[in-house]
Amino acid sequence: MAGEKVLSLRGLTVDFATPDGWVQAVRGVDLDVARGETVALVGESGSGKSQTMMAIMGLLASNGRAGGSALYRGQEMIGLPERRLNRIRGEKITMIFQEPMTSLDPLYRIGRQIAEPILHHRGGSRAAARQRVLELLELVGIPQPERRIDSYPHELSGGQRQRVMIAMALANDPDILIADEPTTALDVTIQAQILTLLAELQEKIGMAIVFITHDLGIVRRLADRVYVMKTGEVVEQGETGPLFAAPTHPYTRMLLEAEPTGRKAPPNPEAPRLLSGRDIGVHFSLGRSWGGEEALLKAVDGVSVTLRRKQTIGIVGESGSGKSTLGRALLRLLPASGSLEFKNQDISHADRARMRPLRRQLQLVFQDPFGSLSPRMTVGQVITEGLIVHEKDLSKSERDRRAIAAMREVGLDPAMRNRYPHEFSGGQRQRIAIARALILKPEVMVLDEPTSALDRSVQKQIVDLLRDLQEAHDLSYIFISHDLAVVRAMADYIIVMRHGQIVEEGPAEEIFEAPRAAYTQALLAAAVDNRRFRTAVQEAAK
């Protein structure tokens, strides 16, 4: 171990009260973290990784309870009064959460939110705090920090919001940084920058890192030691190199071998056009200069797309490239210039009343599932919400039957439909969001990073599921992702975006095998490096 022990868990348990009784999420976990070392918690969605760390931070949901012991430098954290706990968390122990949009207050500018822990724990003037915030934004790679410091969370891309969360967590040079899937929403190039940044900061200030992730390639590069969790228990642990080279538990071997596979055949070239956009533009005002000129952010700038029946268009690019904005514009969820057609109907200027009957045919699965699921509704109610709008005559029992069928389709136990979203892992919530869209049997689905929060084994299941559904129901997908391995397994046509424009497009095999644009080549090179690393790990494990 790298130094003195700073965190020690013994027999840690986490239970949740549900309508069906108490559910045990974490079962007797023992774990140690030393000063300056990186410890990884890995496992599939629902394995208890995040809940283990939420328990020591005192951040469990109101129906949760923690037991056992969690010592931070000899101080017991379990059961510690809120006031004393607040002296530790946010300064000595900080956490980067998996879902940044639900962790950032939509009513406050990001600069103010990053400054709060600085002012709370260190005091000083607001001017000094603002200067520190600018330094942090530059450190985590936010472009134009002087301008972005006054942005609201919704004005940033998913990857940029995650970097804001990292800046906030690092604000007070913590003793322990708990990173819960900190690179989930980031493209491969920014992911590498963030991992390098965390390693440099760790070297500089000597902090320990607890890294929660499903990406074993990242673990292999970053972690000193690994704890593998399954259904709330640690099934294997050890130093990273030996554990990856010779895993003893079948579950660990399964994780190492999981990878989305297969290729999608292109649709019939004569297949009818379902959704098409010509010269689509989405511009956001950034205010006016001293001379009175309005500054515009061209999030999408003159993009044309045509989607045919049973086709999957993969849209790739770095965070902030305009991928998600384009997807929303194609569904008329954002004001946009240009022309839009759905099934040969011009919907460029369709109002809400005219779009309502089309909504069930044009579904969106959001990047951040927790932010799109009502915390006051059970999962069964969430999944059937659209049926109440679009099939008003259905009885409650019929809706329940449809919810059961939809949950089975996405690999969820229908017995869990009376639970609430916060009782599920990030990956499980993403499957709930997919079930909510699927239950309406749409013709077009825009999938915005639908596998970003999922471990590799579940990604493979979701990819197979989406392909099966597409074949069975003639579905068409627009698949937005920064994960090129998943895109390659899903899409038959690729659009590469940068700064709101298309830099390259074409059949998937042509783009992956012979990219023409330098930017596409750089993206693929970064992805190949990650894939080569995972392949080497898998070969070593055999």
Side-chain angles (χ1 to χ4, degrees):
M1 293 174 65
E4 62 180 309
K5 192 181 298 183
V6 293
L7 183 65
S8 181
L9 310 186
R10 291 295 179 269
L12 184 75
T13 61
V14 176
D15 302 291
F16 290 99
T18 75
D20 302 317
W22 285 94
V23 174
Q24 196 168 30
V26 177
R27 312 176 185 192
V29 166
D30 296 342
L31 179 146
D32 294 300
V33 181
R35 183 179 185 276
E37 79 164 342
T38 299
V39 171
L41 282 180
V42 303
E44 293 179 289
S45 302
S47 62
K49 308 184 301 291
S50 297
Q51 295 304 330
T52 296
M53 291 297 111
M54 296 289 268
I56 71 168
M57 295 286 282
L59 296 176
L60 293 175
S62 58
N63 66 327
R65 67 183 182 189
S69 174
L71 297 177
Y72 165 66
R73 294 191 177 276
Q75 170 71 65
E76 181 60 66
M77 301 283 287
I78 304 300
L80 195 65
E82 192 83 4
R83 187 172 179 181
R84 294 178 62 189
L85 195 58
N86 282 336
R87 296 174 187 170
I88 299 174
R89 61 187 182 190
E91 181 179 17
K92 301 299 184 183
I93 306 178
T94 60
M95 192 165 184
I96 304 168
F97 293 97
Q98 181 176 352
E99 292 158 336
M101 194 56 178
T102 60
S103 305
L104 296 172
D105 193 318
L107 301 179
Y108 293 99
R109 301 178 193 274
I110 62 167
R112 177 173 174 178
Q113 297 188 57
I114 299 173
E116 281 184 6
I118 300 171
L119 295 169
H120 178 77
H121 291 285
R122 294 188 176 185
S125 68
R126 290 197 172 274
R130 184 179 176 87
Q131 185 57 41
R132 171 64 173 159
V133 171
L134 287 171
E135 293 171 2
L136 289 165
L137 290 176
E138 185 173 359
L139 194 64
V140 298
I142 295 288
Q144 299 179 303
E146 298 85 359
R147 175 172 288 174
R148 286 301 192 185
I149 192 172
D150 293 317
S151 297
Y152 290 95
H154 73 271
E155 297 176 308
L156 304 179
S157 70
Q160 290 170 333
R161 289 194 292 265
Q162 191 65 284
R163 280 178 272 176
V164 168
M165 288 297 302
I166 294 172
M168 193 180 303
L170 297 175
N172 291 309
D173 297 331
D175 200 13
I176 302 174
L177 173 65
I178 300 170
D180 189 353
E181 301 281 8
T183 59
T184 289
L186 305 181
D187 54 81
V188 289
T189 54
I190 303 301
Q191 182 184 92
Q193 294 173 22
I194 292 298
L195 294 176
T196 300
L197 169 65
L198 290 174
E200 291 173 349
L201 290 166
Q202 184 177 37
E203 182 74 20
K204 177 182 177 182
I205 66 180
M207 67 180 177
I209 297 177
V210 178
F211 208 98
I212 302 169
T213 185
H214 61 258
D215 191 327
L216 296 182
I218 291 175
V219 172
R220 184 68 171 83
R221 282 178 289 166
L222 196 68
D224 300 306
R225 292 187 301 114
V226 181
Y227 290 81
V228 182
M229 293 189 68
K230 180 185 181 186
T231 59
E233 297 179 303
V234 174
V235 297
E236 188 166 2
Q237 61 172 293
E239 293 184 3
T240 305
L243 186 145
F244 275 54
T248 59
H249 198 280
Y251 180 71
T252 308
R253 292 196 292 271
M254 183 277 291
L255 290 178
L256 287 169
E257 294 168 1
E259 178 88 8
T261 57
R263 299 289 182 269
K264 182 188 177 298
N268 186 327
E270 302 301 320
R273 292 187 304 172
L274 281 184
L275 184 65
S276 60
R278 183 181 296 276
D279 199 27
I280 301 298
V282 180
H283 301 168
F284 296 104
S285 175
L286 297 176
R288 295 188 177 276
S289 66
W290 288 106
E293 294 183 2
E294 185 178 25
L296 292 176
L297 171 64
K298 296 182 178 181
V300 177
D301 188 17
V303 171
S304 297
V305 180
T306 297
L307 178 69
R308 296 183 180 276
R309 189 176 301 279
K310 292 187 72 172
Q311 184 180 31
T312 299
I313 296 178
I315 303 180
V316 302
E318 294 178 289
S319 299
S321 62
K323 306 186 301 293
S324 296
T325 303
L326 174 61
R328 285 162 172 75
L330 290 172
L331 296 185
R332 289 277 299 143
L333 294 174
L334 284 176
S337 59
S339 62
L340 270 175
E341 285 189 1
F342 175 61
K343 297 172 72 171
N344 297 319
Q345 298 180 50
D346 188 342
I347 59 170
S348 306
H349 306 289
D351 58 19
R352 181 176 296 183
R354 187 179 164 203
M355 286 300 301
R356 177 179 283 266
L358 301 179
R359 288 295 175 205
R360 70 173 303 167
Q361 301 173 64
L362 300 167
Q363 286 291 299
L364 171 65
V365 175
F366 293 91
Q367 177 178 355
D368 180 2
F370 197 43
S372 64
L373 304 179
S374 172
R376 296 182 176 86
M377 298 171 68
T378 67
V379 165
Q381 291 170 330
V382 166
I383 292 173
T384 58
E385 186 177 13
L387 294 177
I388 295 174
V389 175
H390 295 288
E391 296 188 40
K392 298 178 181 179
D393 295 334
L394 283 182
S395 65
K396 184 177 180 180
S397 62
E398 176 59 19
R399 289 199 303 270
D400 190 55
R401 188 192 68 78
R402 296 269 288 270
I404 290 171
M407 292 184 74
R408 284 178 177 152
E409 278 191 308
V410 299
L412 291 172
D413 183 357
M416 299 189 294
R417 65 189 183 281
N418 292 322
R419 299 182 190 175
Y420 290 85
H422 72 264
E423 298 173 55
F424 293 81
S425 69
Q428 288 170 323
R429 287 195 289 261
Q430 191 65 283
R431 281 180 274 175
I432 292 166
I434 293 172
R436 180 174 60 178
L438 291 175
I439 202 170
L440 293 173
K441 306 300 182 188
E443 294 190 53
V444 174
M445 287 179 64
V446 174
L447 301 145
D448 190 354
E449 300 281 5
T451 61
S452 65
L454 305 180
D455 51 81
R456 279 295 181 187
S457 60
V458 179
Q459 281 183 352
K460 181 177 174 62
Q461 294 170 20
I462 293 298
V463 167
D464 290 343
L465 168 68
L466 290 171
R467 288 195 302 215
D468 289 344
L469 289 167
Q470 183 172 48
E471 187 64 29
H473 303 292
D474 291 347
L475 291 171
S476 301
Y477 298 137
I478 291 177
F479 194 92
I480 300 166
S481 182
H482 62 265
D483 190 327
L484 297 183
V486 175
V487 171
R488 189 167 194 178
M490 275 295 301
D492 53 72
Y493 192 87
I494 304 293
I495 291 175
V496 183
M497 291 189 67
R498 189 183 191 194
H499 302 322
Q501 296 181 324
I502 294 176
V503 297
E504 187 167 1
E505 63 179 305
E509 287 306 306
E510 288 184 14
I511 296 295
F512 279 99
E513 297 301 328
R516 298 181 302 277
Y519 177 70
T520 309
Q521 293 167 4
L523 281 182
L524 292 175
V528 166
D529 287 343
N530 284 341
R531 189 162 62 251
R532 283 176 181 163
F533 196 88
R534 287 196 296 271
T535 301
V537 169
Q538 292 164 5
E539 289 300 318
K542 291 180 179 178

